[in-house]
Amino acid sequence: METYMEMLTRRAKEASVEAAKLGTADKNRGLLSVADELTAQQDMILEANEKDLEAAKQKGVKQSLIDRLALSEKRIGDMAEGLRQIAALDDPVGEVLYMKTRPNGLRIGQKRVPLGVVGIIYESRPNVTADAFGLCFKTGNAVILRGGSDAIHSNQAIVHAIKAGLRKERLCQDLIVLVEDTSREIVSEMMKMHGRIDVLIPRGGAGLIANVVANSTVPVIETGTGNCHIYVDETADVRMAADIIENAKTQRMGVCNACESLVIHSGIAAEVLPAIVQKLKNHDVEIRGDERAQALSDQIEPAVEADWGTEYLDAVISVKIVDSIDEAIGHINKYNTGHSESIITRDYDNALKFQDEIDAAAVYVNASTRFTDGFEFGFGAEIGISTQKLHARGPMGLEALTTTKYIIFGNGQVRK
Amino acid sequence: METYMEMLTRRAKEASVEAAKLGTADKNRGLLSVADELTAQQDMILEANEKDLEAAKQKGVKQSLIDRLALSEKRIGDMAEGLRQIAALDDPVGEVLYMKTRPNGLRIGQKRVPLGVVGIIYESRPNVTADAFGLCFKTGNAVILRGGSDAIHSNQAIVHAIKAGLRKERLCQDLIVLVEDTSREIVSEMMKMHGRIDVLIPRGGAGLIANVVANSTVPVIETGTGNCHIYVDETADVRMAADIIENAKTQRMGVCNACESLVIHSGIAAEVLPAIVQKLKNHDVEIRGDERAQALSDQIEPAVEADWGTEYLDAVISVKIVDSIDEAIGHINKYNTGHSESIITRDYDNALKFQDEIDAAAVYVNASTRFTDGFEFGFGAEIGISTQKLHARGPMGLEALTTTKYIIFGNGQVRK
């Protein structure tokens, strides 16, 4: 007997075969139809969302989660607009990356093709449902979604509208499959669907991601956590350093590319730290430093070892004083999560050294870490930010949802 | 207290930091020095190999394993020659794949960098030890090797020679780390080294690969198993079909890109099957077919369901008769392992349809599946053949051992 998850993944796999055959025009028609349907069915979606909000309030969940969960006409309009923007992007599928002729006359090319079935495990943001569908569908994949139990009614409603939009264009309903079982067991089963799901992308907090990485037999793309550093080199422009740090810490606190830790060269610390402290204190940021940092400002609390490795996602930052760029690089490579790191410097050699030696997805010179994002990088869309090294690293646009196949044209070649 | 595996992975990680800083000339010097040292120390290596062969014979292992395990002056010479060839290849590390300037003036580029620490788990071929080291070192990675217990003395000797070669060029000894514990428990521990090993590549039989996929928390690149099909379309050139099938099945039987199953259009089966049967019977290949195939030749044994999904790696092949290209594609996509598939046809539309719809790493028209190989594809080297869709698909050359990082040059940009 087929289990519920086997049934869902079988349907998604079958749909993915159809999805791979769709031309760009078909896919764009589908996206626009789904966008229209989301707007047309917004009352139904808001009503379902109300149920989730009610339940969440009764459970006494915290306000930040309620904020993520809550939909509005504007948010539904944004989801629809997102799908229209995806329709306007170039379709990466079908591109032949190169083709060459071998000495034996074989023409060997490498062609971009869909991954197949993409699984997304996420928490309570219902907008991920429409977003993930749009990106996967544009790249010729079927998507199987397992959202948080807190958002189940909202997700059911959004998926209902998406399927209606697909139906109107006579496209396969199973291009989007929602896991409606909200138990934890079903997530464990989903992670074991090797061969039935081609890639699993967890989107959410560090706990969710660690669970998927530890337990999945399906290949995983790790996203998200960012313990991002800014290193202020001895030759930094003081005002630039303070402005960039203010931006990277405070422009949006709860995001993965926000700055969580400062590393400052001892030769400039006395000059630059007061300017930085003032900027951060204007935003009520708590600053935790080592002893040398504390000695330079009475507004710095003591840092403990755990501070160096913590992604606060909050109004807290740590400060470490170092005596050389090598010490700075060593510290950052020890504690970072492979996300985004920046150096503020006027020294040419140190700029290149930092970029060469820091092990992270995005390494900046004289800019805020907040730019690590598919839209800021010019990809037009983003399915997440990979902090792993395989397949995709950094912001992932449409191409990250594709793979390649070798296509070989012969006329009777056999191997000698 | 640090465990043995934690110690090994720490040393490999530290070495990988040094490896990433090496220039191409340094790496090539190292490769040539190691090549010389393998030849210089061949007596020591052969003596160690003798111990392994002795133990294997006493254990009564089968001849094919003894053949894989056995070294000779020629095989050691081939290992050294392999390293010299790797030295002659272009170094992919440091290439900037593109760089563009964003509207805010940020220059964003994507640069090819080493993966870090590559783990290889393999069986009893000691030549993998030198091979894997060469490819990983050329791409600026440290490698941690866990070979089969049957080859432990050979591997220790080869690693000893490699380290001597590195030492002569004042390169870090820990660029190659051999796991000398031959227990199964250590493999389990190695697979849990998430964050300490960047990628794990299993090389060996289906059982080994399945074990690593099921249990590793380190990202895995799946290699190897190939249940490869050749589909003879209704319009195929009969002689070409027979020649290609003979080559793909018999040129080398025990390899992953050998043909294991034939799918033949009913409209040409009566004409083509006798020619194919004759060719295969010249090589004593056992042929197992469905009822329609059996009806066309008395040299075809009955196939059972299990035959369609079996990678024989032996002198056996299965035959299925179909009534359309769609049926052929459906059958192949159901039973293949995503390795190499070929169509023999004179029909333009069917050639393209097969290439579009077959889900595999390499899809051929009118050529033998035996070409799926890094050398035949012109990569100059091969670390394995990926049958998964993430990161690398098909034959993997040096590029598969690299990742990218985004490098961003600013002059004070902050996010609005």
Side-chain angles (χ1 to χ4, degrees):
Chain A
M1 249 289 284
E2 200 178 36
T3 67
Y4 173 63
M5 183 54 69
E6 285 170 352
M7 186 265 288
L8 294 184
T9 51
R10 175 177 52 73
R11 282 165 49 185
K13 198 74 174 176
E14 285 165 7
S16 77
V17 173
E18 297 310 308
K21 294 182 197 170
L22 293 174
T24 306
D26 295 324
K27 293 187 283 192
N28 290 345
R29 265 195 303 114
L31 287 165
L32 297 178
S33 168
V34 167
D36 291 345
E37 208 61 37
L38 283 172
T39 319
Q41 300 206 22
Q42 67 178 16
D43 292 346
M44 183 272 289
I45 296 170
L46 289 173
E47 214 169 282
N49 186 239
E50 199 49 54
K51 276 193 214 165
D52 287 332
L53 289 172
E54 203 65 38
K57 281 171 196 155
Q58 285 200 351
K59 266 174 63 187
V61 304
K62 57 181 180 174
Q63 190 57 38
S64 60
L65 194 147
I66 303 265
D67 289 345
R68 285 202 292 269
L69 186 55
L71 292 175
S72 61
E73 281 193 21
K74 162 127 188 14
R75 281 197 175 176
I76 294 171
D78 288 347
M79 286 195 262
E81 184 49 31
L83 294 178
R84 291 189 188 99
Q85 284 172 6
I86 292 169
L89 293 174
D90 278 343
D91 183 352
V93 171
E95 184 190 359
V96 174
L97 303 176
Y98 71 87
M99 177 159 273
K100 62 188 173 187
T101 303
R102 298 287 304 151
N104 60 4
L106 279 182
R107 292 157 213 233
I108 301 185
Q110 195 179 22
K111 183 175 166 180
R112 203 177 276 294
V113 298
L115 283 167
V117 177
V118 178
I120 316 263
I121 299 179
Y122 55 114
E123 292 174 335
S124 31
R125 294 179 195 269
N127 61 309
V128 171
T129 309
D131 242 41
F133 159 74
L135 294 165
C136 292
F137 178 56
K138 177 80 185 205
T139 43
N141 297 292
V143 67
I144 176 162
L145 297 163
R146 205 299 191 166
S149 55
D150 292 332
I152 182 68
H153 296 100
S154 311
N155 287 336
Q156 284 173 324
I158 293 166
V159 169
H160 181 82
I162 291 172
K163 284 181 187 284
L166 290 171
R167 197 162 46 235
K168 283 196 176 165
E169 292 294 333
R170 298 175 191 281
L171 292 161
C172 176
Q173 304 291 293
D174 292 331
L175 288 166
I176 180 166
V177 171
L178 181 69
V179 181
E180 296 185 277
D181 180 337
T182 57
S183 72
R184 280 174 183 276
E185 291 70 38
I186 203 78
V187 178
S188 304
E189 202 184 335
M190 188 171 171
M191 293 190 289
K192 301 299 180 198
M193 291 287 109
H194 183 263
R196 304 175 73 101
I197 298 177
D198 292 291
V199 56
L200 213 46
I201 306 177
R203 286 187 58 172
L208 167 69
I209 293 165
N211 178 30
V212 175
V213 167
N215 295 304
S216 179
T217 61
V218 177
V220 173
I221 300 181
E222 247 184 281
T223 63
T225 56
N227 184 26
C228 304
H229 297 73
I230 292 178
Y231 167 56
V232 184
D233 195 25
E234 195 170 9
T235 63
D237 178 302
V238 169
R239 178 186 275 189
M240 184 193 285
D243 286 346
I244 286 176
I245 289 164
E246 178 186 28
N247 181 261
K249 181 69 231 177
T250 71
Q251 196 253 353
R252 209 169 149 202
M253 301 261 195
V255 292
C256 60
N257 57 17
C259 178
E260 304 288 14
S261 190
L262 302 177
V263 181
I264 301 178
H265 195 286
S266 55
I268 199 174
E271 189 187 351
V272 77
L273 205 48
I276 295 168
V277 168
Q278 196 196 330
K279 291 265 191 191
L280 293 175
K281 283 298 169 189
N282 288 343
H283 299 270
D284 293 323
V285 174
E286 180 186 338
I287 308 170
R288 301 179 191 168
D290 63 6
E291 289 187 4
R292 293 163 82 185
Q294 290 171 61
L296 292 168
S297 164
D298 56 9
Q299 298 192 275
I300 298 181
E301 308 292 319
V304 296
E305 169 67 21
D307 281 296
W308 310 128
T310 299
E311 184 191 22
Y312 301 113
L313 296 171
D314 205 347
V316 187
I317 198 165
S318 67
V319 187
K320 162 115 189 147
I321 309 293
V322 297
D323 291 318
S324 69
I325 185 169
D326 284 310
E327 193 185 344
I329 290 170
H331 176 82
I332 294 172
N333 279 343
K334 182 168 176 192
Y335 293 103
N336 82 350
T337 54
H339 199 293
S340 302
E341 317 296 332
S342 185
I343 181 175
I344 318 298
T345 190
R346 283 189 285 215
D347 186 285
Y348 175 84
D349 288 331
N350 284 359
L352 295 191
K353 183 183 173 72
F354 190 85
Q355 278 202 333
D356 283 348
E357 296 183 17
I358 288 289
D359 189 18
V363 190
Y364 292 83
V365 178
N366 293 340
S368 169
T369 54
R370 286 280 294 115
F371 289 106
T372 305
D373 170 306
F375 297 92
E376 294 294 332
F377 274 30
F379 302 163
E382 185 189 286
I383 188 83
I385 296 171
S386 164
T387 53
Q388 72 178 35
K389 293 180 177 178
L390 284 203
H391 186 68
R393 197 177 192 199
M396 296 186 285
L398 292 175
E399 280 185 10
L401 293 170
T402 67
T403 180
T404 58
K405 69 160 75 152
Y406 285 101
I407 53 175
I408 304 104
F409 297 90
N411 50 2
Q413 281 82 355
V414 295
R415 187 158 171 185
K416 301 279 181 270
Chain B
M1 248 289 283
E2 200 178 37
T3 67
Y4 174 64
M5 183 53 68
E6 284 168 355
M7 184 267 285
L8 294 184
T9 51
R10 174 178 52 72
R11 282 164 50 186
K13 198 76 176 175
E14 285 164 9
S16 76
V17 173
E18 296 311 306
K21 294 182 197 169
L22 294 174
T24 306
D26 296 323
K27 293 187 285 192
N28 290 345
R29 266 195 303 111
L31 286 165
L32 297 179
S33 168
V34 168
D36 292 344
E37 207 61 37
L38 283 173
T39 318
Q41 301 206 21
Q42 66 180 16
D43 292 346
M44 183 272 290
I45 295 170
L46 288 173
E47 213 169 285
N49 185 240
E50 201 47 57
K51 277 194 214 165
D52 287 332
L53 289 172
E54 203 64 40
K57 281 172 198 154
Q58 285 202 350
K59 267 174 62 187
V61 304
K62 55 181 184 175
Q63 192 55 37
S64 60
L65 195 147
I66 303 263
D67 289 344
R68 285 201 291 270
L69 186 56
L71 292 175
S72 61
E73 281 195 22
K74 161 122 189 22
R75 281 196 175 176
I76 294 172
D78 287 347
M79 285 195 263
E81 184 49 30
L83 294 178
R84 290 188 189 101
Q85 284 173 7
I86 293 169
L89 293 175
D90 278 345
D91 184 352
V93 171
E95 183 190 0
V96 175
L97 303 177
Y98 72 87
M99 177 159 275
K100 63 189 172 187
T101 305
R102 298 288 303 152
N104 60 4
L106 279 182
R107 292 157 214 233
I108 301 185
Q110 194 178 23
K111 184 176 165 179
R112 204 176 277 293
V113 299
L115 282 167
V117 177
V118 177
I120 315 263
I121 299 180
Y122 55 114
E123 293 177 334
S124 31
R125 293 180 195 270
N127 61 311
V128 172
T129 309
D131 241 41
F133 159 75
L135 295 165
C136 291
F137 178 57
K138 177 80 185 206
T139 43
N141 297 292
V143 67
I144 176 161
L145 296 164
R146 205 296 190 168
S149 56
D150 291 331
I152 183 68
H153 297 100
S154 311
N155 287 335
Q156 283 171 328
I158 292 166
V159 170
H160 181 83
I162 291 173
K163 283 182 187 285
L166 291 171
R167 195 161 49 235
K168 284 198 174 162
E169 292 294 333
R170 298 175 192 283
L171 292 161
C172 176
Q173 304 291 292
D174 292 331
L175 288 167
I176 180 166
V177 170
L178 180 69
V179 181
E180 297 184 277
D181 180 338
T182 57
S183 71
R184 282 175 182 275
E185 292 70 38
I186 204 77
V187 178
S188 304
E189 201 184 336
M190 187 170 172
M191 294 191 287
K192 300 299 178 197
M193 291 287 111
H194 183 261
R196 302 173 75 102
I197 298 177
D198 292 290
V199 57
L200 213 48
I201 305 177
R203 286 186 59 170
L208 168 69
I209 293 165
N211 179 30
V212 175
V213 167
N215 295 304
S216 179
T217 61
V218 177
V220 173
I221 299 181
E222 246 184 282
T223 61
T225 55
N227 184 25
C228 304
H229 297 72
I230 292 179
Y231 167 57
V232 184
D233 196 25
E234 195 171 8
T235 62
D237 179 302
V238 168
R239 177 185 275 189
M240 184 192 287
D243 286 346
I244 286 176
I245 289 165
E246 178 185 29
N247 181 262
K249 179 69 230 177
T250 70
Q251 196 255 352
R252 208 170 149 203
M253 301 260 194
V255 291
C256 61
N257 57 17
C259 178
E260 304 289 14
S261 190
L262 302 178
V263 181
I264 301 179
H265 194 287
S266 54
I268 199 173
E271 187 185 355
V272 79
L273 205 47
I276 295 169
V277 168
Q278 196 196 330
K279 291 262 190 193
L280 293 176
K281 282 297 168 192
N282 288 344
H283 299 270
D284 293 323
V285 174
E286 180 186 338
I287 308 170
R288 302 182 190 165
D290 62 8
E291 288 188 5
R292 292 165 80 186
Q294 291 172 59
L296 291 169
S297 164
D298 56 8
Q299 297 192 276
I300 299 182
E301 308 293 318
V304 296
E305 170 66 23
D307 281 296
W308 310 129
T310 299
E311 185 191 21
Y312 301 113
L313 298 171
D314 206 348
V316 188
I317 198 166
S318 67
V319 187
K320 161 118 188 143
I321 309 293
V322 296
D323 291 318
S324 69
I325 184 169
D326 284 309
E327 192 185 345
I329 291 170
H331 176 82
I332 294 172
N333 279 342
K334 180 168 176 192
Y335 291 104
N336 82 348
T337 55
H339 199 295
S340 302
E341 316 298 331
S342 186
I343 182 175
I344 318 299
T345 189
R346 283 190 284 214
D347 185 286
Y348 175 84
D349 287 332
N350 284 359
L352 295 190
K353 182 183 174 72
F354 190 84
Q355 278 202 334
D356 283 347
E357 297 183 16
I358 288 290
D359 190 17
V363 189
Y364 292 82
V365 178
N366 294 340
S368 169
T369 54
R370 286 280 294 116
F371 289 106
T372 304
D373 171 308
F375 297 91
E376 293 293 333
F377 275 29
F379 302 163
E382 183 189 288
I383 188 83
I385 296 171
S386 164
T387 52
Q388 71 177 36
K389 294 182 177 178
L390 285 202
H391 186 68
R393 197 178 192 198
M396 296 186 287
L398 292 174
E399 280 185 11
L401 293 171
T402 66
T403 179
T404 58
K405 69 160 74 153
Y406 285 101
I407 52 174
I408 304 106
F409 297 90
N411 50 4
Q413 281 82 353
V414 295
R415 185 157 172 187
K416 301 282 181 269

